[in-house]
Every structure is written in C-alpha cells, then in structure tokens.
PDB file of all heavy atoms in Angstrom:
ATOM      1  N   PHE M   1      14.460  13.683  -8.210  1.00 95.00           N
ATOM      2  CA  PHE M   1      14.298  15.095  -8.547  1.00 95.00           C
ATOM      3  C   PHE M   1      12.877  15.531  -8.209  1.00 95.00           C
ATOM      4  O   PHE M   1      11.960  14.706  -8.117  1.00 95.00           O
ATOM      5  CB  PHE M   1      14.567  15.332 -10.038  1.00 95.00           C
ATOM      6  CG  PHE M   1      13.598  14.606 -10.935  1.00 95.00           C
ATOM      7  CD1 PHE M   1      12.467  15.238 -11.432  1.00 95.00           C
ATOM      8  CD2 PHE M   1      13.800  13.270 -11.262  1.00 95.00           C
ATOM      9  CE1 PHE M   1      11.564  14.566 -12.237  1.00 95.00           C
ATOM     10  CE2 PHE M   1      12.905  12.590 -12.070  1.00 95.00           C
ATOM     11  CZ  PHE M   1      11.799  13.230 -12.569  1.00 95.00           C
ATOM     12  N   VAL M   2      12.716  16.827  -8.009  1.00 95.00           N
ATOM     13  CA  VAL M   2      11.396  17.355  -7.646  1.00 95.00           C
ATOM     14  C   VAL M   2      10.515  17.350  -8.889  1.00 95.00           C
ATOM     15  O   VAL M   2      10.737  18.092  -9.838  1.00 95.00           O
ATOM     16  CB  VAL M   2      11.505  18.771  -7.071  1.00 95.00           C
ATOM     17  CG1 VAL M   2      10.103  19.333  -6.778  1.00 95.00           C
ATOM     18  CG2 VAL M   2      12.346  18.772  -5.809  1.00 95.00           C
ATOM     19  N   GLU M   3       9.523  16.480  -8.874  1.00 93.00           N
ATOM     20  CA  GLU M   3       8.611  16.361 -10.004  1.00 93.00           C
ATOM     21  C   GLU M   3       7.414  17.291  -9.829  1.00 93.00           C
ATOM     22  O   GLU M   3       6.871  17.808 -10.806  1.00 93.00           O
ATOM     23  CB  GLU M   3       8.136  14.910 -10.124  1.00 93.00           C
ATOM     24  CG  GLU M   3       7.298  14.623 -11.358  1.00 93.00           C
ATOM     25  CD  GLU M   3       6.996  13.151 -11.508  1.00 93.00           C
ATOM     26  OE1 GLU M   3       7.910  12.377 -11.827  1.00 93.00           O
ATOM     27  OE2 GLU M   3       5.814  12.778 -11.293  1.00 93.00           O
ATOM     28  N   SER M   4       7.004  17.487  -8.602  1.00 92.00           N
ATOM     29  CA  SER M   4       5.902  18.407  -8.294  1.00 92.00           C
ATOM     30  C   SER M   4       6.333  19.291  -7.132  1.00 92.00           C
ATOM     31  O   SER M   4       6.591  18.794  -6.035  1.00 92.00           O
ATOM     32  CB  SER M   4       4.634  17.623  -7.928  1.00 92.00           C
ATOM     33  OG  SER M   4       3.581  18.503  -7.592  1.00 92.00           O
ATOM     34  N   SER M   5       6.450  20.577  -7.377  1.00 93.00           N
ATOM     35  CA  SER M   5       6.934  21.513  -6.367  1.00 93.00           C
ATOM     36  C   SER M   5       5.997  21.579  -5.167  1.00 93.00           C
ATOM     37  O   SER M   5       4.808  21.249  -5.269  1.00 93.00           O
ATOM     38  CB  SER M   5       7.082  22.908  -6.979  1.00 93.00           C
ATOM     39  OG  SER M   5       8.006  22.873  -8.064  1.00 93.00           O
ATOM     40  N   PRO M   6       6.523  22.004  -4.014  1.00 94.00           N
ATOM     41  CA  PRO M   6       5.692  22.080  -2.799  1.00 94.00           C
ATOM     42  C   PRO M   6       4.448  22.957  -3.004  1.00 94.00           C
ATOM     43  O   PRO M   6       4.526  24.040  -3.589  1.00 94.00           O
ATOM     44  CB  PRO M   6       6.641  22.711  -1.772  1.00 94.00           C
ATOM     45  CG  PRO M   6       8.001  22.345  -2.247  1.00 94.00           C
ATOM     46  CD  PRO M   6       7.930  22.358  -3.734  1.00 94.00           C
ATOM     47  N   LYS M   7       3.317  22.464  -2.529  1.00 94.00           N
ATOM     48  CA  LYS M   7       2.079  23.234  -2.613  1.00 94.00           C
ATOM     49  C   LYS M   7       1.222  22.927  -1.401  1.00 94.00           C
ATOM     50  O   LYS M   7       1.232  21.821  -0.864  1.00 94.00           O
ATOM     51  CB  LYS M   7       1.320  22.928  -3.907  1.00 94.00           C
ATOM     52  CG  LYS M   7       0.865  21.484  -4.040  1.00 94.00           C
ATOM     53  CD  LYS M   7       0.124  21.268  -5.352  1.00 94.00           C
ATOM     54  CE  LYS M   7      -0.349  19.817  -5.491  1.00 94.00           C
ATOM     55  NZ  LYS M   7      -1.060  19.604  -6.769  1.00 94.00           N
ATOM     56  N   GLN M   8       0.479  23.903  -0.976  1.00 91.00           N
ATOM     57  CA  GLN M   8      -0.381  23.771   0.189  1.00 91.00           C
ATOM     58  C   GLN M   8      -1.657  23.036  -0.187  1.00 91.00           C
ATOM     59  O   GLN M   8      -2.260  23.295  -1.228  1.00 91.00           O
ATOM     60  CB  GLN M   8      -0.718  25.150   0.751  1.00 91.00           C
ATOM     61  CG  GLN M   8      -1.286  25.141   2.155  1.00 91.00           C
ATOM     62  CD  GLN M   8      -0.220  24.866   3.216  1.00 91.00           C
ATOM     63  OE1 GLN M   8       0.939  25.207   3.016  1.00 91.00           O
ATOM     64  NE2 GLN M   8      -0.615  24.289   4.332  1.00 91.00           N
ATOM     65  N   ASP M   9      -2.058  22.096   0.644  1.00 90.00           N
ATOM     66  CA  ASP M   9      -3.292  21.340   0.430  1.00 90.00           C
ATOM     67  C   ASP M   9      -4.003  21.237   1.768  1.00 90.00           C
ATOM     68  O   ASP M   9      -3.840  20.271   2.518  1.00 90.00           O
ATOM     69  CB  ASP M   9      -2.985  19.970  -0.144  1.00 90.00           C
ATOM     70  CG  ASP M   9      -4.244  19.165  -0.433  1.00 90.00           C
ATOM     71  OD1 ASP M   9      -5.333  19.780  -0.549  1.00 90.00           O
ATOM     72  OD2 ASP M   9      -4.162  17.924  -0.525  1.00 90.00           O
ATOM     73  N   GLY M  10      -4.828  22.247   2.082  1.00 89.00           N
ATOM     74  CA  GLY M  10      -5.492  22.274   3.379  1.00 89.00           C
ATOM     75  C   GLY M  10      -4.481  22.429   4.502  1.00 89.00           C
ATOM     76  O   GLY M  10      -3.668  23.363   4.500  1.00 89.00           O
ATOM     77  N   ARG M  11      -4.480  21.488   5.438  1.00 91.00           N
ATOM     78  CA  ARG M  11      -3.535  21.537   6.551  1.00 91.00           C
ATOM     79  C   ARG M  11      -2.176  20.908   6.207  1.00 91.00           C
ATOM     80  O   ARG M  11      -1.276  20.910   7.048  1.00 91.00           O
ATOM     81  CB  ARG M  11      -4.126  20.810   7.766  1.00 91.00           C
ATOM     82  CG  ARG M  11      -5.368  21.475   8.351  1.00 91.00           C
ATOM     83  CD  ARG M  11      -5.809  20.743   9.585  1.00 91.00           C
ATOM     84  NE  ARG M  11      -6.960  21.378  10.211  1.00 91.00           N
ATOM     85  CZ  ARG M  11      -7.515  20.977  11.355  1.00 91.00           C
ATOM     86  NH1 ARG M  11      -7.003  19.907  11.970  1.00 91.00           N
ATOM     87  NH2 ARG M  11      -8.542  21.608  11.870  1.00 91.00           N
ATOM     88  N   ASN M  12      -2.066  20.388   5.013  1.00 94.00           N
ATOM     89  CA  ASN M  12      -0.833  19.708   4.615  1.00 94.00           C
ATOM     90  C   ASN M  12      -0.104  20.463   3.512  1.00 94.00           C
ATOM     91  O   ASN M  12      -0.698  21.296   2.806  1.00 94.00           O
ATOM     92  CB  ASN M  12      -1.135  18.286   4.127  1.00 94.00           C
ATOM     93  CG  ASN M  12      -1.796  17.433   5.185  1.00 94.00           C
ATOM     94  OD1 ASN M  12      -1.541  17.597   6.375  1.00 94.00           O
ATOM     95  ND2 ASN M  12      -2.657  16.521   4.766  1.00 94.00           N
ATOM     96  N   MET M  13       1.164  20.155   3.352  1.00 95.00           N
ATOM     97  CA  MET M  13       1.947  20.660   2.234  1.00 95.00           C
ATOM     98  C   MET M  13       2.546  19.445   1.528  1.00 95.00           C
ATOM     99  O   MET M  13       3.093  18.550   2.181  1.00 95.00           O
ATOM    100  CB  MET M  13       3.054  21.595   2.712  1.00 95.00           C
ATOM    101  CG  MET M  13       3.865  22.214   1.572  1.00 95.00           C
ATOM    102  SD  MET M  13       5.076  23.444   2.141  1.00 95.00           S
ATOM    103  CE  MET M  13       3.958  24.794   2.592  1.00 95.00           C
ATOM    104  N   LEU M  14       2.408  19.419   0.202  1.00 96.00           N
ATOM    105  CA  LEU M  14       2.782  18.236  -0.566  1.00 96.00           C
ATOM    106  C   LEU M  14       3.895  18.528  -1.558  1.00 96.00           C
ATOM    107  O   LEU M  14       3.995  19.636  -2.085  1.00 96.00           O
ATOM    108  CB  LEU M  14       1.571  17.691  -1.333  1.00 96.00           C
ATOM    109  CG  LEU M  14       0.279  17.470  -0.550  1.00 96.00           C
ATOM    110  CD1 LEU M  14      -0.836  17.002  -1.483  1.00 96.00           C
ATOM    111  CD2 LEU M  14       0.492  16.470   0.567  1.00 96.00           C
ATOM    112  N   MET M  15       4.687  17.518  -1.816  1.00 96.00           N
ATOM    113  CA  MET M  15       5.718  17.578  -2.850  1.00 96.00           C
ATOM    114  C   MET M  15       5.935  16.163  -3.361  1.00 96.00           C
ATOM    115  O   MET M  15       5.905  15.204  -2.583  1.00 96.00           O
ATOM    116  CB  MET M  15       7.028  18.158  -2.289  1.00 96.00           C
ATOM    117  CG  MET M  15       8.166  18.219  -3.315  1.00 96.00           C
ATOM    118  SD  MET M  15       9.705  18.914  -2.613  1.00 96.00           S
ATOM    119  CE  MET M  15      10.222  17.541  -1.576  1.00 96.00           C
ATOM    120  N   VAL M  16       6.162  16.023  -4.660  1.00 96.00           N
ATOM    121  CA  VAL M  16       6.415  14.712  -5.259  1.00 96.00           C
ATOM    122  C   VAL M  16       7.836  14.680  -5.796  1.00 96.00           C
ATOM    123  O   VAL M  16       8.260  15.581  -6.533  1.00 96.00           O
ATOM    124  CB  VAL M  16       5.418  14.388  -6.382  1.00 96.00           C
ATOM    125  CG1 VAL M  16       5.759  13.054  -7.045  1.00 96.00           C
ATOM    126  CG2 VAL M  16       3.989  14.365  -5.840  1.00 96.00           C
ATOM    127  N   ILE M  17       8.564  13.637  -5.422  1.00 96.00           N
ATOM    128  CA  ILE M  17       9.935  13.434  -5.907  1.00 96.00           C
ATOM    129  C   ILE M  17       9.940  12.211  -6.803  1.00 96.00           C
ATOM    130  O   ILE M  17       9.475  11.134  -6.417  1.00 96.00           O
ATOM    131  CB  ILE M  17      10.917  13.242  -4.743  1.00 96.00           C
ATOM    132  CG1 ILE M  17      10.883  14.453  -3.808  1.00 96.00           C
ATOM    133  CG2 ILE M  17      12.339  13.020  -5.262  1.00 96.00           C
ATOM    134  CD1 ILE M  17      11.808  14.314  -2.605  1.00 96.00           C
ATOM    135  N   GLY M  18      10.450  12.382  -8.019  1.00 94.00           N
ATOM    136  CA  GLY M  18      10.536  11.263  -8.961  1.00 94.00           C
ATOM    137  C   GLY M  18      11.924  10.664  -8.970  1.00 94.00           C
ATOM    138  O   GLY M  18      12.912  11.337  -8.690  1.00 94.00           O
ATOM    139  N   PRO M  19      12.037   9.368  -9.272  1.00 93.00           N
ATOM    140  CA  PRO M  19      13.349   8.716  -9.297  1.00 93.00           C
ATOM    141  C   PRO M  19      14.152   9.132 -10.527  1.00 93.00           C
ATOM    142  O   PRO M  19      13.586   9.378 -11.586  1.00 93.00           O
ATOM    143  CB  PRO M  19      12.988   7.224  -9.343  1.00 93.00           C
ATOM    144  CG  PRO M  19      11.669   7.189 -10.049  1.00 93.00           C
ATOM    145  CD  PRO M  19      10.934   8.445  -9.626  1.00 93.00           C
ATOM    146  N   THR M  20      15.461   9.200 -10.359  1.00 90.00           N
ATOM    147  CA  THR M  20      16.310   9.549 -11.508  1.00 90.00           C
ATOM    148  C   THR M  20      16.454   8.374 -12.460  1.00 90.00           C
ATOM    149  O   THR M  20      16.815   8.567 -13.612  1.00 90.00           O
ATOM    150  CB  THR M  20      17.700   9.979 -11.032  1.00 90.00           C
ATOM    151  OG1 THR M  20      18.261   8.955 -10.182  1.00 90.00           O
ATOM    152  CG2 THR M  20      17.618  11.271 -10.241  1.00 90.00           C
ATOM    153  N   ARG M  21      16.189   7.158 -11.991  1.00 80.00           N
ATOM    154  CA  ARG M  21      16.282   5.981 -12.836  1.00 80.00           C
ATOM    155  C   ARG M  21      14.921   5.362 -13.045  1.00 80.00           C
ATOM    156  O   ARG M  21      14.051   5.465 -12.189  1.00 80.00           O
ATOM    157  CB  ARG M  21      17.216   4.936 -12.210  1.00 80.00           C
ATOM    158  CG  ARG M  21      18.643   5.377 -12.064  1.00 80.00           C
ATOM    159  CD  ARG M  21      19.461   4.263 -11.457  1.00 80.00           C
ATOM    160  NE  ARG M  21      18.862   3.804 -10.201  1.00 80.00           N
ATOM    161  CZ  ARG M  21      19.259   2.720  -9.557  1.00 80.00           C
ATOM    162  NH1 ARG M  21      20.227   1.981 -10.044  1.00 80.00           N
ATOM    163  NH2 ARG M  21      18.699   2.372  -8.420  1.00 80.00           N
ATOM    164  N   LYS M  22      14.747   4.716 -14.187  1.00 73.00           N
ATOM    165  CA  LYS M  22      13.500   4.022 -14.458  1.00 73.00           C
ATOM    166  C   LYS M  22      13.410   2.771 -13.589  1.00 73.00           C
ATOM    167  O   LYS M  22      14.415   2.217 -13.157  1.00 73.00           O
ATOM    168  CB  LYS M  22      13.421   3.626 -15.939  1.00 73.00           C
ATOM    169  CG  LYS M  22      13.351   4.814 -16.885  1.00 73.00           C
ATOM    170  CD  LYS M  22      13.262   4.333 -18.325  1.00 73.00           C
ATOM    171  CE  LYS M  22      13.183   5.511 -19.281  1.00 73.00           C
ATOM    172  NZ  LYS M  22      13.104   5.074 -20.694  1.00 73.00           N
ATOM    173  N   LYS M  23      12.196   2.335 -13.374  1.00 63.00           N
ATOM    174  CA  LYS M  23      11.971   1.168 -12.523  1.00 63.00           C
ATOM    175  C   LYS M  23      12.608  -0.078 -13.120  1.00 63.00           C
ATOM    176  O   LYS M  23      13.122  -0.936 -12.401  1.00 63.00           O
ATOM    177  CB  LYS M  23      10.479   0.945 -12.320  1.00 63.00           C
ATOM    178  CG  LYS M  23      10.144   0.037 -11.145  1.00 63.00           C
ATOM    179  CD  LYS M  23       8.653  -0.016 -10.919  1.00 63.00           C
ATOM    180  CE  LYS M  23       8.327  -0.818  -9.678  1.00 63.00           C
ATOM    181  NZ  LYS M  23       8.780  -0.159  -8.450  1.00 63.00           N
ATOM    182  N   THR M  24      12.592  -0.169 -14.455  1.00 59.00           N
ATOM    183  CA  THR M  24      13.197  -1.335 -15.092  1.00 59.00           C
ATOM    184  C   THR M  24      14.703  -1.387 -14.817  1.00 59.00           C
ATOM    185  O   THR M  24      15.267  -2.457 -14.588  1.00 59.00           O
ATOM    186  CB  THR M  24      12.955  -1.308 -16.613  1.00 59.00           C
ATOM    187  OG1 THR M  24      13.328  -0.026 -17.145  1.00 59.00           O
ATOM    188  CG2 THR M  24      11.502  -1.571 -16.922  1.00 59.00           C
ATOM    189  N   GLU M  25      15.342  -0.209 -14.839  1.00 66.00           N
ATOM    190  CA  GLU M  25      16.770  -0.149 -14.553  1.00 66.00           C
ATOM    191  C   GLU M  25      17.039  -0.527 -13.109  1.00 66.00           C
ATOM    192  O   GLU M  25      18.013  -1.233 -12.808  1.00 66.00           O
ATOM    193  CB  GLU M  25      17.297   1.252 -14.836  1.00 66.00           C
ATOM    194  CG  GLU M  25      17.209   1.671 -16.312  1.00 66.00           C
ATOM    195  CD  GLU M  25      17.595   3.106 -16.523  1.00 66.00           C
ATOM    196  OE1 GLU M  25      17.781   3.828 -15.521  1.00 66.00           O
ATOM    197  OE2 GLU M  25      17.716   3.534 -17.683  1.00 66.00           O
ATOM    198  N   ALA M  26      16.179  -0.040 -12.215  1.00 63.00           N
ATOM    199  CA  ALA M  26      16.351  -0.374 -10.797  1.00 63.00           C
ATOM    200  C   ALA M  26      16.191  -1.870 -10.575  1.00 63.00           C
ATOM    201  O   ALA M  26      16.924  -2.480  -9.803  1.00 63.00           O
ATOM    202  CB  ALA M  26      15.337   0.404  -9.955  1.00 63.00           C
ATOM    203  N   LYS M  27      15.225  -2.493 -11.281  1.00 65.00           N
ATOM    204  CA  LYS M  27      15.012  -3.931 -11.131  1.00 65.00           C
ATOM    205  C   LYS M  27      16.228  -4.716 -11.607  1.00 65.00           C
ATOM    206  O   LYS M  27      16.610  -5.723 -11.001  1.00 65.00           O
ATOM    207  CB  LYS M  27      13.767  -4.366 -11.920  1.00 65.00           C
ATOM    208  CG  LYS M  27      12.455  -3.954 -11.289  1.00 65.00           C
ATOM    209  CD  LYS M  27      11.294  -4.488 -12.090  1.00 65.00           C
ATOM    210  CE  LYS M  27       9.962  -4.166 -11.411  1.00 65.00           C
ATOM    211  NZ  LYS M  27       8.816  -4.686 -12.189  1.00 65.00           N
ATOM    212  N   VAL M  28      16.836  -4.243 -12.705  1.00 66.00           N
ATOM    213  CA  VAL M  28      18.028  -4.923 -13.222  1.00 66.00           C
ATOM    214  C   VAL M  28      19.157  -4.861 -12.199  1.00 66.00           C
ATOM    215  O   VAL M  28      19.849  -5.853 -11.947  1.00 66.00           O
ATOM    216  CB  VAL M  28      18.471  -4.287 -14.554  1.00 66.00           C
ATOM    217  CG1 VAL M  28      19.850  -4.801 -14.963  1.00 66.00           C
ATOM    218  CG2 VAL M  28      17.465  -4.584 -15.648  1.00 66.00           C
ATOM    219  N   GLU M  29      19.327  -3.682 -11.584  1.00 68.00           N
ATOM    220  CA  GLU M  29      20.390  -3.537 -10.590  1.00 68.00           C
ATOM    221  C   GLU M  29      20.115  -4.375  -9.351  1.00 68.00           C
ATOM    222  O   GLU M  29      21.026  -4.991  -8.781  1.00 68.00           O
ATOM    223  CB  GLU M  29      20.545  -2.063 -10.202  1.00 68.00           C
ATOM    224  CG  GLU M  29      21.690  -1.823  -9.231  1.00 68.00           C
ATOM    225  CD  GLU M  29      21.977  -0.351  -9.028  1.00 68.00           C
ATOM    226  OE1 GLU M  29      21.929   0.406 -10.013  1.00 68.00           O
ATOM    227  OE2 GLU M  29      22.270   0.039  -7.885  1.00 68.00           O
ATOM    228  N   VAL M  30      18.858  -4.403  -8.916  1.00 67.00           N
ATOM    229  CA  VAL M  30      18.503  -5.211  -7.750  1.00 67.00           C
ATOM    230  C   VAL M  30      18.763  -6.685  -8.032  1.00 67.00           C
ATOM    231  O   VAL M  30      19.289  -7.413  -7.190  1.00 67.00           O
ATOM    232  CB  VAL M  30      17.027  -4.973  -7.373  1.00 67.00           C
ATOM    233  CG1 VAL M  30      16.572  -5.995  -6.334  1.00 67.00           C
ATOM    234  CG2 VAL M  30      16.838  -3.568  -6.815  1.00 67.00           C
ATOM    235  N   LYS M  31      18.398  -7.137  -9.230  1.00 72.00           N
ATOM    236  CA  LYS M  31      18.635  -8.537  -9.596  1.00 72.00           C
ATOM    237  C   LYS M  31      20.125  -8.845  -9.639  1.00 72.00           C
ATOM    238  O   LYS M  31      20.573  -9.896  -9.176  1.00 72.00           O
ATOM    239  CB  LYS M  31      18.002  -8.841 -10.948  1.00 72.00           C
ATOM    240  CG  LYS M  31      18.137 -10.308 -11.367  1.00 72.00           C
ATOM    241  CD  LYS M  31      17.488 -10.568 -12.705  1.00 72.00           C
ATOM    242  CE  LYS M  31      17.559 -12.055 -13.059  1.00 72.00           C
ATOM    243  NZ  LYS M  31      18.945 -12.545 -13.107  1.00 72.00           N
TER     244      LYS M  31
END
C-alpha cells in the first residue's frame, strides 16, 4: 500500500510502498 504519497524532490519524484504483511509473517511463509 502507498505509505508515502508521491512528492517532488528536486529532479526526482518519490513514493514509498509498504508491505501488507509484516516481515515476521513473510519469513514464516518463506520458511
């Protein structure tokens, strides 16, 4: 999901997407 909406930063435009699952849950599934 979009954790940080798009914003201009000089010549770049940034956006942060966060995972819907926690890392611990992902590790359990990977294992």
